[in-house]
Amino acid sequence: MTVSLEQLRRCHVAVDLGAARTRVYVKGAGLVVDEPSVAAVNTRTGALIAVGTFAERMTGRTPDYIRVVRPVSGGTVVDIEMAQRMLRHLLGEKLRRALRRKPRLRAACCTPHDADPLAQRAAVETMVGLGARRVELVDTLIAAAVGCGLPVEQPTATMIMVCGAAATQVAVLSLGSIVTAQRIPVGGEAIDHAVVQHLRHAHELMLPTQAVRPLQLALHGNGITPEGPASTLIHGRDVATGLARSVHVDTAAVRDAIHTPLTAVLDGIGRVLRDCPPDLVADLTDRGIMMVGGSALLPGLDQMLRDSTGMPVAIAERPDVCAVLGLGAMLEGKIAPMVLNPLAE
């Protein structure tokens, strides 16, 4: 573990600051916040207008003086002040007062596997701004593995794939630590961008930002497989004239556009397996890959991984909240480390 379980048991609140969603777990109360990591600001006065779901609905629909910002990018806080303001409003006054009553508030926060010291410092400063006296940083891969029920503490290999909005992290865990890991800068946003660019180049159609994910579900039918509908009617704006236009989009072409960024994920899985000891790779042939994260729900992604790797692939029961639930389990003391008896000399 990156942090001892004893230190985590003393924490009162756990936060998972993701590029897409922010989740907060309070000890004894459970998951209390699960909202998009978005805030809308009035640039004239500096006032915060909206946060979370309502702010996300304002994306692309605001006048000039209202700016919709995302203070977290790729699992890293890029705007500390805005992240603090967003968290305060998401928690609410009642919960903030309850946390302030703690004499020495301790917080735990998820960080990406390869987070540099500046990214770790930004996460700590964000939690300190909420009143935390001490902040424990936990690797997202370990927290997600604990949250989906993998036997992290055992001397057997477990492979986890965290599919985030901005990046995908793949790791092999054993004895509570990361044996080998890779962070691939391809996530749900890259897949959305591939769909948008395909429609722009092939059909000269600009798609609204809020319509990309429903479009994926409509296009793929049963997943990223040929069994989906042959074509789908899409509404957007013509690139040349700026007028509204509807086109019939070929499903096979969109599948090919989405496969392009996903090949980088397959390459990352291959690198992890090449760097892994042979004994652990032998374990993985039976256990396979566990997928967590919001982008793990992309239709047909699990079947594509099965076909490419030849390994079993499973999706966690609640893949989008596995990381924060894993942190919560550590806070509540539900995870017991495996006790190793030192040999007597």
Side-chain angles (χ1 to χ4, degrees):
M1 293 287 183
T2 51
V3 182
S4 72
L5 289 172
E6 187 61 35
Q7 290 174 316
L8 287 173
R9 288 194 189 101
R10 298 173 186 168
C11 294
H12 306 97
V13 60
V15 179
D16 178 17
L17 283 169
R21 299 184 75 87
T22 294
R23 300 175 177 93
V24 180
Y25 186 102
V26 175
K27 192 173 185 177
L31 187 63
V32 295
V33 174
D34 185 3
E35 293 279 342
S37 305
V38 189
V41 185
N42 187 328
T43 56
R44 295 174 182 172
T45 63
L48 200 62
I49 297 174
V51 295
T53 304
F54 187 60
E56 188 179 45
R57 285 168 51 198
M58 296 168 64
T59 304
R61 296 182 170 93
T62 59
D64 293 339
Y65 67 92
I66 295 178
R67 187 165 58 98
V68 178
V69 297
R70 292 182 176 270
V72 185
S73 176
T76 303
V77 179
V78 294
D79 189 338
I80 297 175
E81 181 186 357
M82 188 57 63
Q84 291 174 350
R85 296 175 67 185
M86 180 187 73
L87 271 174
R88 288 194 200 104
H89 282 77
L90 288 177
L91 284 172
E93 185 62 31
K94 183 179 179 181
L95 190 55
R96 288 208 311 275
R97 280 202 303 268
L99 291 176
R100 278 200 297 264
R101 294 194 192 104
K102 307 288 184 184
R104 285 187 61 82
L105 180 64
R106 289 172 175 247
C109 186
C110 286
T111 56
H113 170 64
D114 58 350
D116 55 31
L118 284 177
Q120 295 178 2
R121 183 67 181 173
V124 171
E125 290 292 335
T126 303
M127 294 296 102
V128 169
L130 291 177
R133 302 294 183 184
R134 180 174 176 134
V135 181
E136 309 291 354
L137 300 180
V138 181
D139 200 301
T140 304
L141 291 163
I142 294 179
V146 171
C148 61
L150 292 178
V152 180
E153 293 293 334
Q154 299 301 316
T156 55
T158 54
M159 189 170 189
I160 188 163
M161 178 175 169
V162 180
C163 309
T168 300
Q169 301 177 72
V170 185
V172 175
L173 310 176
S174 180
L175 286 174
S177 298
I178 296 174
V179 178
T180 177
Q182 286 283 337
R183 183 177 182 272
I184 306 111
V186 174
E189 293 175 354
I191 295 172
D192 294 348
H193 182 70
V195 174
V196 171
Q197 289 301 310
H198 167 73
L199 293 176
R200 186 183 181 94
H201 294 308
H203 300 278
E204 297 184 349
L205 193 74
M206 292 184 68
L207 197 67
T209 54
Q210 302 290 327
V212 178
R213 187 50 57 91
L215 166 64
Q216 292 178 4
L217 300 178
L219 282 174
H220 304 140
N222 299 327
I224 310 179
T225 55
E227 284 79 15
S231 64
T232 304
L233 185 65
I234 300 300
H235 309 285
R237 192 182 78 182
D238 190 278
V239 174
T241 64
L243 301 176
R245 185 162 64 91
S246 301
V247 297
H248 281 278
V249 178
D250 182 37
T251 309
V254 176
R255 280 203 306 271
D256 293 339
I258 288 178
H259 274 289
T260 302
L262 291 180
T263 53
V265 176
L266 298 177
D267 292 342
I269 294 175
R271 288 195 298 271
V272 169
L273 293 175
R274 283 195 296 271
D275 295 341
C276 194
D279 292 340
L280 295 181
V281 175
D283 290 344
L284 293 175
T285 56
D286 298 327
R287 294 180 174 272
I289 306 171
M290 177 65 76
M291 294 175 61
V292 301
S295 298
L297 297 172
L298 184 67
L301 179 57
D302 53 340
Q303 186 59 46
M304 177 185 171
L305 292 177
R306 287 190 198 98
D307 297 339
S308 302
T309 62
M311 297 167 58
V313 178
I315 301 177
E317 186 177 349
R318 299 178 64 188
D320 49 343
V321 295
C322 277
V324 72
L325 290 182
L327 273 182
M330 297 178 199
L331 262 62
E332 303 282 2
K334 297 178 180 177
I335 306 301
M338 188 176 68
V339 179
L340 297 177
N341 296 321
L343 297 176
E345 294 182 1

